[in-house]
Structure formats: structure tokens, C-alpha cells
């Protein structure tokens, strides 16, 4: 849905991911941080009627062709809106413990298996200096890639499709884990919604297939 963008529901109560992610962090993260990205994105687009019909992903894919005065605001707040919307969906209480299906096959074939993939994503998140995200993304050639981005930059901005991502901004973990980002990342694996992640992968592969045809 294009402008005006709206804060989506979490899909579960703020305390649902306890003890791994605490309720107060979720309340502030969703209700304040994510809400601010949505509000700031709408404020940036308010005076640009010609941009208001675009879907969020389209805005982010074509950042450099947007009016100069809103490029940074759309990059930071549009990226923040998309990243967080996906992030809430990639988490769930009591989800499957491991990936399955075509995603599992791809992780095994391309990344050396689930354990190696988890290590790589954890490492990408732990070593991202300052604020950012660690990603599993699908590149233009249909291959999986594990890496990190700064700030609210999304894989979408460089032509990749996000499959799974983890927020490593301090606001995502500081109340419970303080400076212990690796401990937060370790706990986060317990709440990953593998069903949703597998759907992200299959959808991204499906879109590629239809483009190739
Ligand atoms: Mn965040």
C-alpha cells in the first residue's frame, strides 16, 4: 500500500517473544521507533504528490531518481519502515526451530548448512559497526547472500530481495542485553519464524522465475 504509510500491527502481543526479546523493548521498538519512521516517511512525501502512488519497495529501488530533497529521508525512514515491517513478521513465539523445504535445500547447497548459515549471519550482525542490519538476501542471480548494511539500508536498495534480517541497532536489545549484542543475537534465533522466512524465499524465487519467462 502506498502513501500514506501506516504502522502495521505486530501480529502478536509485545510480551510474546519473552524471555528472548522483552516486552518493553518490543513496545518501544514498534510503538515509538517504527512509528517514527512511518511518520517521517509520510512527512517527506507530503509535498511530493507525484511520488505518493509508489509502493514502498519501488521508492527504495529508485532512490537516486527521487527529488533530491527527500532522498535521504526516504532512504532512512522508508528503509526503516520496510525493514521493521519485515522484521516483525520474521519473528514468532514457538515457531519451527529450523528451516525446511526449498529454503533448507538452498541453505545447505549454497551456504554449507544451517549451522554455518546461523554462524555467518550472527557474525555479520556482531561485527556491523554502529547501527544496522544483518541479512540473508537473494541476489539478482537467485543465489543466497549473507551480509550486513548500515543504518536502515535495505537489500532492496541494491537490487537484492531480503529473505531474513535481524536488527542490530542498540534500540533492538539494549534494555535487556545492554552492550552484549552477541547474546541478543544468540537469543534471537529462538524466535525466528521459519515458516515466514521460507515463504519469503519461495516468493522471491517465484518472482524471479516469472521475470525470466
Ligand atoms: Mn529497529
Amino acid at each position: 500500500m502506498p502513501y500514506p504509510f501506516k504502522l502495521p500491527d505486530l501480529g502478536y502481543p509485545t510480551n510474546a517473544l519473552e524471555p528472548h526479546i522483552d516486552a518493553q523493548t518490543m513496545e518501544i521498538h514498534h510503538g515509538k521507533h517504527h512509528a517514527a519512521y512511518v511518520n517521517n516517511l509520510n512527512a517527506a512525501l507530503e509535498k511530493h504528490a507525484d511520488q505518493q502512488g509508489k509502493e514502498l519497495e519501488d521508492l527504495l529501488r529508485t532512490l537516486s531518481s527521487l527529488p533530491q530533497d527527500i532522498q535521504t529521508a526516504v532512504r532512512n525512514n522508508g528503509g526503516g519502515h520496510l525493514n521493521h515491517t519485515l522484521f516483525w513478521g520474521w519473528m514468532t513465539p514457538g515457531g519451527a526451530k529450523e528451516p525446511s523445504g526449498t529454503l533448507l535445500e538452498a541453505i545447505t547447497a549454497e551456504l554449507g548448512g544451517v549451522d554455518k548459515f546461523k554462524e555467518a549471519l550472527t557474525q555479520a550482525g556482531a561485527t556491523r559497526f554502529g547501527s544496522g542490519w544483518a541479512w540473508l538476501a537473494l541476489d539478482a542471480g537467485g543465489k543466497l547472500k549473507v551480509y550486513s548494511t548500515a543504518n536502515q539500508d535495505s537489500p532492496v536498495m541494491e537490487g537484492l530481495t531480503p529473505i531474513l534480517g535481524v536488527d542490530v541497532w542498540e534500540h533492538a536489545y539494549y534494555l535487556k542485553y545492554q552492550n552484549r549484542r552477541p547474546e541478543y543475537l544468540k537469543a534471537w534465533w529462538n524466535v525466528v519464524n521459519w515458516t515466514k522466512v521460507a515463504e519469503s524465499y519461495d516468493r522471491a524465487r517465484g518472482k524471479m522465475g516469472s521475470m525470466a519467462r
Side-chain angles (χ1 to χ4, degrees):
M1 295 294 291
Y3 176 93
F5 294 100
K6 288 189 185 64
L7 181 67
D9 290 336
L10 270 182
Y12 40 78
T14 51
N15 65 358
L17 306 178
E18 298 250 13
H20 309 293
I21 314 284
D22 62 290
Q24 195 188 6
T25 294
M26 290 299 290
E27 272 160 33
I28 297 170
H29 200 175
H30 176 257
K32 305 288 183 193
H33 290 280
H34 189 174
Y37 296 127
V38 173
N39 292 339
N40 291 335
L41 175 62
N42 286 332
L45 294 171
E46 198 179 352
K47 294 196 180 88
H48 290 273
D50 53 328
Q51 304 298 328
Q52 292 174 358
K54 290 188 184 170
E55 296 292 339
L56 182 55
E57 285 87 344
D58 294 331
L59 287 166
L60 299 179
R61 243 178 250 128
T62 58
L63 274 179
S64 58
S65 65
L66 298 182
Q68 197 120 35
D69 61 312
I70 60 168
Q71 281 184 15
T72 301
V74 172
R75 178 176 186 169
N76 292 338
N77 297 290
H81 179 32
L82 179 64
N83 292 344
H84 287 86
T85 300
L86 294 169
F87 187 52
W88 311 134
W90 285 326
M91 298 190 288
T92 187
K97 290 285 166 253
E98 300 285 341
S100 58
T102 51
L103 175 63
L104 175 61
E105 286 167 24
I107 287 175
T108 304
E110 296 172 36
L111 303 175
V114 175
D115 289 347
K116 279 212 168 136
F117 157 60
K118 284 185 170 180
E119 242 171 69
L121 191 73
T122 301
Q123 181 71 3
T127 55
R128 163 52 55 186
F129 184 76
S131 299
W133 291 73
W135 300 102
L136 173 67
L138 197 67
D139 72 17
K143 294 287 177 212
L144 292 173
K145 179 180 175 184
V146 177
Y147 74 121
S148 72
T149 58
N151 305 313
Q152 294 297 348
D153 284 357
S154 160
V156 167
M157 295 173 189
E158 40 187 327
L160 281 76
T161 305
I163 305 298
L164 174 64
V166 56
D167 190 340
V168 296
W169 283 57
E170 284 187 343
H171 68 225
Y173 62 87
Y174 208 85
L175 290 178
K176 184 175 170 77
Y177 296 98
Q178 291 82 48
N179 60 323
R180 304 186 303 279
R181 188 191 287 181
E183 205 178 305
Y184 153 71
L185 286 166
K186 192 175 173 209
W188 173 78
W189 286 110
N190 290 295
V191 298
V192 171
N193 186 347
W194 286 110
T195 311
K196 204 62 176 284
V197 179
E199 278 170 26
S200 298
Y201 179 73
D202 289 337
R203 195 175 325 114
R205 293 289 315 214
K207 262 187 202 163
M208 265 185 173
S210 61
M211 272 192 279
R213 259 176 264 137

